[in-house]
Structure formats: C-alpha cells, structure tokens
C-alpha cells in the first residue's frame, strides 16, 4: 500500500526545491500530485509541471462534478486565486507513493480524504529574514513583479502556520531548511522510516 508525502512550509521556505530533489530520488520512487490553480502562470512555469492552470469557470466546473478533494482561496492584491487538489483518477495509493505540496489546512483535508495513516506530513521551516530575501529575489526575476502579493503571502503565513495550527494538525516533526543538503538527508531518512 502506498503513502502520500505531504510537503508544507511558509512561502519561500524551499518547498519547490525540496520537492524537485525528492522526485529525482530513486529510493523514494515518488510520483507527483500536481495541484490546480486559477492564478496566472509565472515565468518559467510549465503547464502540468508545477500546476495545472485553469480559470474560475474551470474551477466551478470541477467543483460541480465533485472532483475537488480540497481547495483554498486567496484574496490577493490581484484578485481571487484558487489552489486545489482534484480527484482526476491519477492518484492510486494502492500501488504508488506520491509527493504533494500544500498548506496545513490542505494537508488535513487530504488526510481526511485518503486516511491519516496514508498521508505523511513534512513541515519545512526557515528563518523569516531568509524567506523574505528569497521571496524578493524570486519576484524580481518575474516579467511583472507582484510585490504586494509577495508581502501579503509573507504576512498571511504567520496565521496559516501558527503553532496552534501545527499542533492541531498533529505535526510532531519539523525540518529546518537552513542547509539544503542536511535538510534533504533528514527528510529522506524520515520518509524511508515511514513508507
């Protein structure tokens, strides 16, 4: 029986980098769960790689069909953006292990849907100053930087990843991403012990 590794952390804590390394890791043999979003595609992103990109009408259609496992909506500086996990027939926990990225709230909904014993939480942590620096550097590389949205997300993370929410989710183990190699090695050992 397979498991889903659920990667979480505040914005710019290194989730995407860790995610890519774990997908390339032969021992884990992890398949990716690609989320859907209604936000605009960023420079360098590829449809079906980081996300499946859709619009509000596409979101509503999937919602009407009962395909959405969990959804979050962010009221951004640039409008309302949805991020959501879809039951599109591509997740087979009977035969495969998967890797997903989300929030504490989405982790709880996915764990409720598939069963908590099948979903393993991985919470990344990083100093707020380093996160802000990384976020600014990433945003500066965009053709149309969205600094207001970057700041909104940074501030919203304080509530989204509060100690109360971490405790409520039952997340006991955390991984510091101050040193990528060390963090990745600790995560791999943790995954091996829980698969």
């Amino acid at each position: 029986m397979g498991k889903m590794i659920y990667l979480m952390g505040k914005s710019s804590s290194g989730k995407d980098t860790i995610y890519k390394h774990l997908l390339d890791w032969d021992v884990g043999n992890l398949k990716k769960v690609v989320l859907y979003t209604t936000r605009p595609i960023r420079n360098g992103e590829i449809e079906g790689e980081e996300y499946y990109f859709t619009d509000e009408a596409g979101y509503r259609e999937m919602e009407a069909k009962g395909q959405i496992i969990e959804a979050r909506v962010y009221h951004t500086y640039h409008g309302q953006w949805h991020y959501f996990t879809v039951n599109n027939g591509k997740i087979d926990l009977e035969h495969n292990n998967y890797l997903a990225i989300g929030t504490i709230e989405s982790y709880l909904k996915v764990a409720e849907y598939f069963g908590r014993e099948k979903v393993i939480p991985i919470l990344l942590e990083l100093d707020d100053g380093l996160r802000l620096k990384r976020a600014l550097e990433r945003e500066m590389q965009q053709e149309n930087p969205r600094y207001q949205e970057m700041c909104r997300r940074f501030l919203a993370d304080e509530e989204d990843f509060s100690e109360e929410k971490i405790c409520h989710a039952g997340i006991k183990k955390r991984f510091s991403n101050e040193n990528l190699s060390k963090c990745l090695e600790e995560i791999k050992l943790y995954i091996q012990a829980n698969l």
Side-chain angles (χ1 to χ4, degrees):
M1 183 178 297
K3 299 277 180 77
M4 184 182 293
I5 309 304
Y6 211 87
L7 194 58
M8 298 167 280
K10 294 178 179 177
S11 59
S12 299
S13 60
K15 295 182 300 292
D16 291 337
T17 301
I18 296 283
Y19 183 84
K20 288 173 186 171
H21 280 284
L22 290 175
L23 284 176
D24 290 339
W25 179 41
D26 293 336
V27 175
N29 195 27
L30 302 170
K31 299 184 180 307
K32 66 174 150 180
V33 175
V34 180
L35 299 180
Y36 287 69
T37 185
T38 59
R39 79 149 166 80
I41 192 168
R42 291 182 184 146
N43 291 347
E45 288 183 325
I46 300 168
E47 170 72 23
E49 286 293 317
E50 291 84 5
Y51 294 98
Y52 291 114
F53 295 91
T54 189
D55 56 14
E56 190 70 22
Y59 171 79
R60 295 287 170 218
E61 183 180 333
M62 287 180 256
E63 184 179 47
K65 290 180 179 177
Q67 295 176 309
I68 297 178
I69 296 171
E70 63 80 28
R72 295 148 270 151
V73 62
Y74 297 101
H75 301 282
T76 77
Y77 185 82
H78 300 281
Q80 183 171 279
W81 294 346
H82 293 276
Y83 290 79
F84 49 106
T85 307
V86 174
N87 181 359
N88 54 9
K90 295 182 181 179
I91 301 173
D92 177 13
L93 283 174
E94 290 301 313
H95 302 98
N96 299 301
N97 294 316
Y98 291 87
L99 181 62
I101 294 180
T103 63
I104 291 174
E105 181 184 337
S106 65
Y107 157 71
L108 287 170
K109 289 179 182 175
V110 168
E112 180 182 332
Y113 185 87
F114 290 109
R116 195 168 277 235
E117 72 284 355
K118 294 181 183 177
V119 185
I120 301 168
I122 303 285
L123 179 61
L124 293 178
E125 294 186 322
L126 184 64
D127 171 76
D128 285 345
L130 288 173
R131 287 193 315 104
L132 186 57
K133 181 180 175 193
R134 287 180 182 181
L136 182 58
E137 288 170 352
R138 179 175 67 187
E139 206 57 41
M140 289 174 73
Q141 294 175 7
Q142 299 300 310
E143 186 175 320
N144 297 305
R146 295 184 166 144
Y147 298 116
Q148 296 91 340
E149 174 56 18
M150 180 200 79
C151 291
R152 185 207 63 80
R153 285 183 65 199
F154 189 85
L155 294 173
D157 281 339
E158 291 307 307
E159 182 180 335
D160 294 344
F161 289 90
S162 68
E163 287 300 317
E164 181 181 334
K165 288 188 178 182
I166 292 169
C167 183
H168 172 72
I171 298 169
K172 305 270 191 259
K173 181 83 172 141
R174 305 176 193 202
F175 299 87
S176 171
N177 196 14
E178 298 282 334
N179 177 298
L180 176 61
S181 298
K182 183 179 178 189
C183 180
L184 198 54
E185 190 57 36
E186 289 175 1
I187 290 171
K188 287 177 179 178
L189 289 171
Y190 185 72
I191 291 172
Q192 284 180 300
N194 285 280
L195 284 183

